[in-house]
Amino acid sequence: PVWLSEAGIPTSHFGKYLNGFPSRKQKPTYTPPGWANFVSTTRGKVAYTGYNYTLNTNGTLQKYGDQPTDFLEDVLTAKTNEWLETATDPFYLEFSSYLPHSPAPAAPRFTGTRAGSQAPRLPNYNAFGIYEPAWLKSQPKLGAKQQSNLDLLWTRRLESAESMADSFHAIMAQLETTGHLDDTLVIITSDNGYHVGSHRIPSGKHPPYREDSVVPAIFIGPGIAKGATIDAMTSTIDLAPTIAAIQGAATPAWLDGRNLMPLLLDPENTPWRTGVLTENMAATTPDDPDYSGFEAPKYDAVRTQDYLYVDYGRKQGAALYNLQTDPYEMNNVIRSTDQTIVRQLAAQAKALARCSGESCRVADSMPNTGAAVPSP
């Protein structure tokens, strides 16, 4: 937002900002720099319930109760569309939903609409893998009661997501009403995935597996081919340089990530990275809304088109999954894979974990398919 505001772009944020925001050193009325319009909740976890929260609107606080009209997702959507009515051209709008984060509240109109749903029974659901890492292999199978509770959780998340879908449709309708549907780039994505029963892990988001670390990103707008799919190695760190480039904002030299627009407009002729990094940097604590009680230890992982390599550190070792033959990441093949490939992936994971700025655009393009490793 600071880069955009310096480029003269009106910026507006609605919804969740950062975990722990505002900090105890900041007043509840604090507005972060760069935002011309800022609407978010004050500190505390109550916003995740959808009711009885306080909104900070550009330094003015307003309390909301527990009536159906107070449902946070709907309030944020209404405020977003109110702002869009008078938004100047160009603009940057960030709508950050709390949904379907636990406890996954849903608007009253969706309560009970997905009753009887089940968490996906994919091949890795409640299943043992081969040569599992030490932190996982002692985890027992989920019992019937646990699975029933997970199905209820999944049902709540589905109903909660319906409320979020309403927000999307309402905002898109407002863009059409204001004449900006055809000249606005809309990006829909998430900061993380979520597992429910896969690999026998009840629920959460911290393991390196695809349920947790691979999320869709949908781009709708000028020049974007309708219905096209790109499976290149992209990351949430690409969003900032992409948005800045589109709106003509200068970015600092230390910025990680790549501008996605060349890839989106001409994927066949755009040189791209070979892998992306996922890190679990610390264990959650009981006061964290995502605390699960059982989760992966700290790790550095690199995901490529063909492999997922995870370095858990000296005590836990490493794991490797061949995504071409094992898309559900159940068979650790680090012992049986060509060790040239293992060494390349290990080197890339280490380089990505330590790099910054331009050096990351070297680390993310290292060879990792068995070719000879270049000398340092």
Side-chain angles (χ1 to χ4, degrees):
V2 173
W3 309 333
L4 296 179
S5 63
E6 290 176 348
I9 306 296
T11 57
S12 191
H13 173 90
F14 295 89
K16 181 178 178 179
Y17 198 51
L18 299 172
N19 286 340
F21 175 86
S23 71
R24 297 191 180 279
K25 295 181 181 180
Q26 298 162 338
K27 295 181 180 179
T29 56
Y30 175 73
T31 297
W35 295 109
N37 182 65
F38 183 80
V39 181
S40 187
T41 59
T42 56
R43 69 176 65 98
K45 296 185 290 186
V46 67
Y48 292 106
T49 70
Y51 295 98
N52 298 308
Y53 54 90
T54 299
L55 275 187
N56 170 18
T57 301
N58 300 317
T60 300
L61 302 183
Q62 182 178 354
K63 293 184 178 181
Y64 290 79
D66 56 4
Q67 298 303 303
T69 55
D70 294 320
F71 187 61
L72 177 57
E73 182 79 3
D74 293 343
V75 170
L76 291 173
T77 302
K79 286 183 174 290
T80 299
N81 280 347
E82 182 181 353
W83 184 84
L84 280 173
E85 287 181 359
T86 58
T88 57
D89 185 13
F91 62 81
Y92 174 69
L93 165 65
E94 186 171 279
F95 183 89
S96 182
S97 176
Y98 287 85
L99 306 179
H101 194 291
S102 296
R109 60 187 177 277
F110 292 119
T111 301
T113 58
R114 293 296 193 101
S117 298
Q118 281 190 331
R121 264 48 172 182
L122 299 176
N124 62 13
Y125 175 82
N126 203 22
F128 284 93
I130 300 174
Y131 295 124
E132 288 183 330
W135 68 271
L136 179 60
K137 64 183 181 181
S138 61
Q139 174 72 354
K141 273 204 166 189
L142 302 169
K145 181 62 175 179
Q146 286 178 293
Q147 294 186 65
S148 177
N149 288 337
L150 290 176
D151 289 337
L152 292 175
L153 170 63
W154 188 260
T155 299
R156 293 202 312 271
R157 288 174 64 84
L158 289 176
E159 293 174 353
S160 184
E162 294 283 7
S163 297
M164 187 169 56
D166 271 5
S167 296
F168 166 74
H169 291 300
I171 293 170
M172 294 295 283
Q174 184 71 318
L175 287 174
E176 183 172 24
T177 298
T178 57
H180 285 300
L181 187 61
D182 295 329
D183 65 4
T184 301
L185 175 66
V186 178
I187 305 172
I188 306 102
T189 190
S190 178
D191 57 343
N192 59 264
Y194 197 78
H195 64 262
V196 179
S198 59
H199 302 277
R200 311 183 311 285
I201 313 173
S203 63
K205 65 181 185 182
H206 290 89
Y209 302 117
R210 64 177 298 108
E211 291 84 6
D212 303 89
S213 61
V214 180
V215 297
I218 301 171
F219 288 69
I220 304 169
I224 306 299
K226 184 176 182 179
T229 300
I230 298 173
D231 64 355
M233 295 289 102
T234 59
S235 172
T236 50
I237 63 171
D238 297 329
L239 294 177
T242 300
I243 294 166
I246 290 171
Q247 299 196 306
T251 56
W254 50 257
L255 181 65
D256 295 345
R258 294 170 175 257
N259 177 8
L260 292 169
M261 290 311 297
L263 181 67
L264 290 165
L265 299 177
D266 190 10
E268 297 298 324
N269 297 301
T270 301
W272 203 247
R273 62 164 66 96
T274 60
V276 293
L277 176 72
T278 301
E279 296 173 289
N280 187 28
M281 304 182 76
T284 57
T285 56
D287 62 337
D288 190 307
D290 290 308
Y291 180 73
S292 62
F294 178 79
E295 58 187 41
K298 294 192 293 183
Y299 61 77
D300 298 321
V302 62
R303 181 177 292 273
T304 75
Q305 293 283 6
D306 298 320
Y307 293 100
L308 168 64
Y309 173 85
V310 190
D311 181 0
Y312 291 106
R314 185 173 299 176
K315 290 184 178 181
Q316 292 275 345
L320 179 68
Y321 304 90
N322 185 327
L323 304 180
Q324 299 302 313
T325 59
D326 179 26
Y328 296 102
E329 303 161 352
M330 298 179 65
N331 183 11
N332 177 11
V333 294
I334 197 165
R335 302 179 186 179
S336 58
T337 301
D338 184 335
Q339 290 304 293
T340 300
I341 296 176
V342 176
R343 286 193 295 270
Q344 288 176 336
L345 290 166
Q348 187 171 29
K350 180 182 292 185
L352 283 169
R354 296 180 178 181
C355 71
S356 64
E358 190 59 39
S359 67
C360 289
R361 288 177 278 279
V362 176
D364 72 9
S365 299
M366 293 171 64
N368 54 34
T369 58
V373 178
S375 300

